[in-house]
Amino acid sequence: MVRTLAALGVLLALAAPLQADMLDGADDRAFRAALTTLLARDDPAAVATLRDLAEAGNAAALVTLPLALAWVPPQGNLKEKNAQRQVSGMKAQDAAAAIHKATALWNAGLTDYASDLPDRAAGLLASGEGEKSTVLLAAWVNQTGGRGDLPPQLLTEDTPAMLGAFALSGRLTHALYFDGSPHEEAIFLLSLMREDRLVGWLTYVHLLETEPDVFSIIGDPLAGTGLSAAGTEARIEDARAVRAVSLLRYRGEMPIPAATATRAREVLQGRAELLPATRLCQARCPDSLAACEAAVLAYPGEPFGGFEAWQPFVDVLASLDFAASDRGIFALIRPRSDPAAAADRTTAESLDACYGRLLAHRDALHFGP
């Protein structure tokens, strides 16, 4: 029954009037039928339909085709596979990039060169592709350690605060132990904490957990925040809760208590890192939205890093509609194998019965080989 209602929800969403800024061809009945099918199951015939529509000039089908080819890889020998990956004699990815800025910027998630990642991420964010933007920024932080000019969006609410904390932690420790100005980095960190920016407090807590000796060298910034002892402790506990539910780091063996997940959900209201959980819960558990969001943060945790390459571009399919689909659920709720996973799942199920049923539904789904 859950699957039937979910499929009906996606069909209704795809049948609704489209946004004014949707790509040409997105309202074509054949395109929408093929996409609806692929959101429910792997279907080579639906991929072939997208390719035929793309060959006929449907822009939405062309932009969706590279994703669909990743969802359902071509069958046959090498020559046949290569032919299925082409549109008008070009690779589908290249043909889509030629007509669609976001496809070109995303470039199938390839991140070979750090130098172009901030501009690509900024362009994706401006195009409404915040999740894909975050993936590129994460690659920039991983490749540079946060050194160099910080991308402006890295420290805003459009980007997960934990990612900014990784960058700032890397900058400060590199400046302290290798080359740079640790005094300037420490002043910058203090300014963020004084402004009550989550990224500043997360950086402080992350350094406490990973490089506590830093503060014996540069001094503890807490005295300069101007906060009371109670206010300081509240900010630290907020940051610890957010850090605990973030999948941008290895989870380890310590389970996430329900109170921690609930606190993290409260702290993250209005921020980018909560949006995927919010959409999932809006689509599937709207009557228990707050509890569902906390449950997602308990298990699997912040979804970033597991679904962005699967999610269609927003000018083809709204992110909420993707979250409502079985393929979206399969991508957004990624199974975890770390030692705390089973306990965290139990916590999530106890936080929201609706989400518990959704986890059971996800267990029955299968996409890919």
Side-chain angles (χ1 to χ4, degrees), residues 11-166:
L11 284 170
L12 290 173
L14 288 173
L18 295 173
Q19 300 168 201
D21 56 354
M22 300 297 275
L23 276 177
D24 289 344
D27 59 350
D28 180 87
R29 295 176 69 88
F31 167 72
R32 289 159 75 78
L35 180 56
T36 299
T37 297
L38 288 167
L39 291 173
R41 64 182 185 275
D42 292 340
D43 189 324
V47 180
T49 295
L50 290 182
R51 183 176 176 276
D52 291 342
L53 291 169
E55 288 277 10
N58 185 306
L62 176 56
V63 166
T64 306
L65 182 59
L67 292 169
L69 289 167
W71 299 340
V72 187
Q75 303 296 309
N77 58 40
L78 181 60
K79 182 178 180 180
E80 291 168 337
K81 290 178 180 179
N82 287 339
Q84 293 172 56
R85 292 189 176 101
Q86 292 191 350
V87 175
S88 300
M90 296 177 63
K91 291 181 179 179
Q93 173 69 28
D94 295 339
I99 68 161
H100 190 237
K101 181 180 179 181
T103 295
L105 291 169
W106 173 236
N107 194 22
L110 296 178
T111 56
D112 293 335
Y113 305 103
S115 58
D116 68 348
L117 293 175
D119 286 343
R120 286 172 58 192
L124 285 169
L125 185 61
S127 298
E129 299 290 347
E131 283 81 25
K132 289 180 171 60
S133 173
T134 290
V135 171
L136 299 191
L137 286 177
W140 180 86
V141 172
N142 184 56
Q143 292 182 33
T144 66
R147 295 184 292 279
D149 294 334
L150 287 174
Q153 69 270 33
L154 184 63
L155 305 183
T156 72
E157 294 184 353
D158 293 321
T159 301
M162 195 67 230
L163 184 54
F166 279 139

Side-chain angles (χ1 to χ4, degrees), residues 119-354:
D119 286 343
R120 286 172 58 192
L124 285 169
L125 185 61
S127 298
E129 299 290 347
E131 283 81 25
K132 289 180 171 60
S133 173
T134 290
V135 171
L136 299 191
L137 286 177
W140 180 86
V141 172
N142 184 56
Q143 292 182 33
T144 66
R147 295 184 292 279
D149 294 334
L150 287 174
Q153 69 270 33
L154 184 63
L155 305 183
T156 72
E157 294 184 353
D158 293 321
T159 301
M162 195 67 230
L163 184 54
F166 279 139
L168 294 179
S169 299
R171 288 172 69 91
L172 198 153
T173 54
H174 186 272
L176 186 63
Y177 297 127
F178 299 100
D179 180 37
S181 175
H183 181 67
E184 290 182 5
E185 298 296 341
I187 290 175
F188 183 52
L189 174 59
L190 176 58
S191 72
L192 293 172
M193 295 170 70
R194 287 178 64 90
E195 293 171 7
D196 210 14
R197 301 273 295 279
L198 178 59
V199 66
W201 287 96
L202 261 177
T203 302
Y204 176 76
V205 166
H206 186 62
L207 287 169
L208 277 181
E209 296 292 331
T210 60
E211 297 284 350
D213 292 343
V214 163
F215 297 113
S216 65
I217 301 172
I218 67 172
D220 195 321
L222 291 183
T225 63
L227 293 174
S228 66
T232 297
E233 183 62 24
R235 293 338 184 261
I236 289 174
E237 290 306 309
D238 285 348
R240 283 180 173 152
V242 171
R243 185 176 184 270
V245 302
S246 173
L247 281 186
L248 298 174
R249 67 179 184 88
Y250 176 65
R251 290 293 290 270
E253 298 186 7
M254 295 299 294
I256 302 299
T260 298
T262 300
R263 184 166 193 150
R265 180 257 169 194
E266 294 171 353
V267 175
L268 293 175
Q269 291 299 296
R271 293 192 55 91
E273 51 264 66
L274 191 61
L275 276 176
T278 299
R279 295 183 191 121
L280 184 64
C281 294
Q282 286 174 335
R284 293 298 184 126
C285 299
D287 294 334
S288 55
L289 182 61
C292 178
E293 289 173 336
V296 175
L297 294 180
Y299 181 90
E302 287 180 20
F304 282 102
F307 71 93
E308 300 84 0
W310 277 45
Q311 182 168 287
F313 292 98
V314 296
D315 51 8
V316 169
L317 182 75
S319 298
L320 182 60
D321 292 341
F322 180 66
S325 71
D326 278 356
R327 191 177 292 276
I329 292 167
F330 189 80
L332 283 160
I333 305 177
R334 306 301 292 177
R336 288 177 23 219
S337 58
D338 58 275
D344 288 347
R345 174 161 176 165
T346 298
T347 298
E349 291 169 335
S350 71
L351 280 165
D352 183 34
C354 177

